[in-house]
Amino acid sequence: MSSTSIPRQVYLLASLNPYQGNWTIKVRLTAKGPMRHYNNTRGEGYVFSVELTDDDGTQIQATMFNTAARKFFEVFDLGKVYYISSGYLKRANKTYNCVDNDYEMTLNENSQVEEAVNEPVLIPETKFNFVPIDQLGQYLHKKELIDVIGFIQHVSSSMSIRRKVDNEIVPKRDITIADDTIKSVIVSLWAPLATGIGNKLLDMFDASPIVAIKSLRVSGFGGITLSTITNTIIDINPNSPESHKLKTWYGSEGSTTKFEYVGSTFKTGLINDAPSLYSDRVGLDYITNNLSLGEAKPVYYTTRACMSFIKTNQSMYYHACKTCNKKLTNNVGSGYSCEMCKTTQTDSNLRYVVSAKFSDTNGEAWMSLFADEAQTIIGCSATELDNMKSKDDGGAYQTQLKKATWVPHVFRLMVAPQEYNNDKRQRITVKIVSPVDYAAESKFLLDDISSTQS
C-alpha cells in the first residue's frame, strides 16, 4: 500500500501507551512470523505477528487476526520501512512475546499500513539476549521466552506427534546443544522447523555448527528442556561476537570436554517454584500405602531408591519406528510396518519398556521405566543389551542386569491408578532419574533434620 494519506507527524515507539488516540509510527519490519491457523474455545481463524523497530532501536510486536491477517500478510516484507497508524496497544503477554517492550500492538482491518518510498531495504540482524545453559533453571515454569546459543552435539531423526489440542499430526525433532558452561540441553523443534532447518542441521551435524535460537519456552518435562514456538528464529553459524567466542572455545577445549545435561543435577528445594528432585520427597511406603493417590489426576513425588529386582525373562524392549518411536508390526517375510506413519521399514530402533522392583529404607514398589530412564538404570542401550543376550549363553546379559541392582538413584515419579481385568491398581512411572549427588543429598538431609528440630 503506497499513498500519502497518512499524516507525517511521527511518534517514537517509546512514547506510545494504550491511552493515546491517533498516532503514526515509522518502523522497519525486522521479523515476520508465518500465517498460523488456530482453533480454540473462541473459535477458529488465522493469525500472524511481526516485529517492528523504529529509528531509536525500540522494538514492538504487532499481531493481526483473521481479516487483518489476510489483508496485511502480503503487504509486509522483511527489511522494508512502513508508516503505520490506527492500531491499539495493550500490556505484552510474555508467554508469546519476547520483544523488549512492556506493550504489544494489534492491527485490525481499519489500520493503515503504507510503505515508505525511497527507503533502503535492510535485512536486519536478529537481536538476541542469550541465557547461558547452566542458568536455564531460573526460567522453569515462568512465562518468559528465552534465547540460547550453543554448538550442536546431536540431531535426532524426525518423528510425528499427534497433538492433543486438535488431534493434528505434526513433525518434531530433538537437537542437543551445549555451551562453555559445560552444560547441554535438549531443544525440541516443532512443525516446519523440524523438517526444514532440522534436516539442514542433520546434514551439518558432523561439523558441530553453532546455532543461535530466539524465543524458546523452558519446561521441566524430563528435567529441563527447551521447545520452539511459532515465532522461534534459528540462526546457523551467526556472524556475532558470541558465536566467534564459542567457536574459538570449542576449537581449543570444548571438542574434548565431557558435558553434563543441565537437567541431571537439581538443587535442594525449589528452583523458582519449580519442583526439583529434592521437593515432594517421600518414601516408597507412603506411595504404596495410599492407594487412592492420583485418582483425580496424576500426582508427582521424588524419592531415593535402588533397583532391587528385575525379571530377566521379561520383554524389555520393542522394535520402534525411527520416525515416531511407536511400536512396529512385523511384516510377513521381513521388515516392519508403522501404523502411525503408514510406512514400511527394513530396520528399527530398540526402545526400553521395563518393569522392575525398587526398594528404599521403608518399603518397596514396582515401577515402570521407558527409553532414557531405563537406559540410565541399566547402564547400556536396549540394542547393546539385546546383543549381550544373543551372544554365547547370555552371561553378559545377566551380569549387566545384576550390576544395575542396588545402585542408588533419585527419581521423579508419576503416580496414577490403572485398571487391569476390572482390578484397580497403582501405576508408578519413572519420569526423571538422576545419580545421587551426595553433597546435595547431605544438605537436603541436614535441612530436613533442622526443620524437625525447629
Side-chain angles (χ1 to χ4, degrees), residues 13-19 52 57-62 88-106 144:
L13 289 176
S15 69
L16 300 183
N17 64 68
Y19 310 105
L52 309 171
T58 304
Q59 295 182 313
I60 195 167
Q61 178 175 294
Y88 65 91
L89 274 67
K90 64 179 181 178
R91 281 283 174 183
N93 182 353
K94 293 302 182 181
T95 303
Y96 306 101
N97 184 346
C98 67
V99 175
D100 186 17
N101 198 315
D102 292 335
Y103 301 112
E104 59 188 15
M105 183 182 296
T106 300
E144 296 176 61

Side-chain angles (χ1 to χ4, degrees), residues 130-137 139 147-149 179-181 262:
F130 296 119
V131 175
I133 292 178
D134 69 344
Q135 300 298 312
L136 291 175
Y139 296 86
D147 308 338
V148 294
I149 187 170
D179 67 6
D180 53 6
T181 64
V262 70

Side-chain angles (χ1 to χ4, degrees), residues 410-423:
V410 181
F411 300 90
R412 184 76 175 167
L413 306 175
M414 182 182 75
V415 183
Q418 181 185 40
E419 196 167 298
Y420 181 75
N421 288 338
N422 296 321
D423 180 24

